[in-house]
Amino acid sequence: NAGVTQTPKFRVLKTGQSMTLLCAQDMNHEYMYWYRQDPGMGLRLIHYSVGEGTTAKGEVPDGYNVSRLKKQNFLLGLESAAPSQTSVYFCASSGGLAGYNEQFFGPGTRLTVL
Amino acid sequence: DAKTTQPNSMESNEEEPVHLPCNHSTISGTDYIHWYRQLPSQGPEYVIHGLTSNVNNRMASLAIAEDRKSSTLILHRATLRDAAVYYCILSGGGADGLTFGKGTHLIIQP
């Protein structure tokens, strides 16, 4: 089992460019999450999904869009990147509600927006 | 989700037990107590979680106060690999992920 994988590992964008971060999990989990982590801070939830075809907003959704077309994949899009979106992005998945079940995290994507 | 309070940092020696405290005085009856840790340059890793009773697993033990207003994560024999940021998180079981604070930075001295 690879667990949760994220692509790419690093990316540098210019302001206004767009990109998509891919998260994949091979544990057949229903729930998937995107978080961002700024230096010295804890993780903040961007968007989440409770199953294929569903998405919902988290704490800091502005400037991001997501899609869950396949159960195993959760995509995070930045339509017009801004320097404030420079951060490390983590994807996670869980087999049930986050409050009751273990979340499995990916290794992260380090994004710099110039 | 209710708020937790943790020390910013703690230091311990290798091969000794470590007790990481967490205060959560506004915890509700349905809130679970979760602990995750994050090693340098890695994603968070689940450690343990519980509701009312003390819990043990291969990584650690979780001691929950009788009034549930505080808890302690116990690493029985710290190794250098346990140096990480440890997050104490409360969750009422919703679908909307976990709320991470700044956690406790655990330093292990050889």
Side-chain angles (χ1 to χ4, degrees):
Chain A
N1 277 355
V4 178
T5 58
Q6 293 183 231
T7 309
K9 290 184 170 52
F10 302 93
R11 186 72 187 268
V12 178
L13 289 179
K14 293 182 179 178
T15 298
Q17 286 185 320
S18 64
M19 78 164 294
T20 300
L21 283 67
L22 171 62
C23 175
Q25 53 95 3
D26 62 2
M27 296 172 282
N28 201 34
H29 284 169
E30 289 292 338
Y31 297 79
M32 296 188 74
Y33 309 86
W34 276 107
Y35 294 88
R36 62 176 285 175
Q37 185 174 33
D38 298 324
M41 305 293 288
L43 281 70
R44 291 184 293 170
L45 183 67
I46 305 171
H47 285 280
Y48 65 99
S49 169
V50 302
E52 182 178 317
T54 74
T55 62
K57 293 180 180 180
E59 179 187 355
V60 288
D62 293 343
Y64 305 95
N65 56 75
V66 288
S67 64
R68 183 100 181 268
L69 298 179
K70 293 183 179 180
K71 186 177 184 179
Q72 63 268 32
N73 296 336
F74 195 27
L75 278 62
L76 177 71
L78 286 73
E79 290 185 347
S80 180
S84 60
Q85 294 178 303
T86 293
S87 190
V88 181
Y89 292 85
F90 291 101
C91 176
S93 72
S94 65
L97 294 172
Y100 302 141
N101 296 273
E102 176 181 354
Q103 282 199 4
F104 295 82
F105 285 83
T109 294
R110 187 174 296 276
L111 174 66
T112 301
V113 182
L114 302 176
Chain B
D1 292 327
K3 185 176 170 58
T4 62
T5 303
Q6 299 179 252
N8 289 334
S9 65
M10 289 184 63
E11 202 167 308
S12 185
N13 296 318
E14 196 177 11
E15 298 186 4
E16 291 185 355
V18 179
H19 290 68
L20 293 163
C22 181
N23 288 319
H24 30 78
S25 59
T26 60
I27 190 171
S28 74
T30 56
D31 283 337
Y32 277 75
I33 303 160
H34 296 253
W35 284 84
Y36 282 75
R37 72 180 185 181
Q38 187 173 21
L39 278 64
S41 299
Q42 293 189 26
E45 174 187 32
Y46 169 84
V47 178
I48 200 166
H49 78 284
L51 183 61
T52 56
S53 303
N54 294 345
V55 184
N56 300 297
N57 65 20
R58 62 174 180 81
M59 288 183 70
S61 295
L62 175 59
I64 301 172
E66 196 169 332
D67 64 5
R68 300 212 323 128
K69 293 185 177 182
S70 65
S71 60
T72 302
L73 179 71
I74 302 166
L75 307 179
H76 295 286
R77 194 163 170 267
T79 68
L80 295 177
R81 195 196 172 276
D82 291 321
V85 178
Y86 286 77
Y87 299 98
C88 171
I89 301 165
L90 301 184
S91 179
D96 57 346
L98 300 172
T99 300
F100 287 76
K102 293 187 179 182
T104 296
H105 183 200
L106 177 63
I107 300 164
I108 304 295
Q109 297 289 354

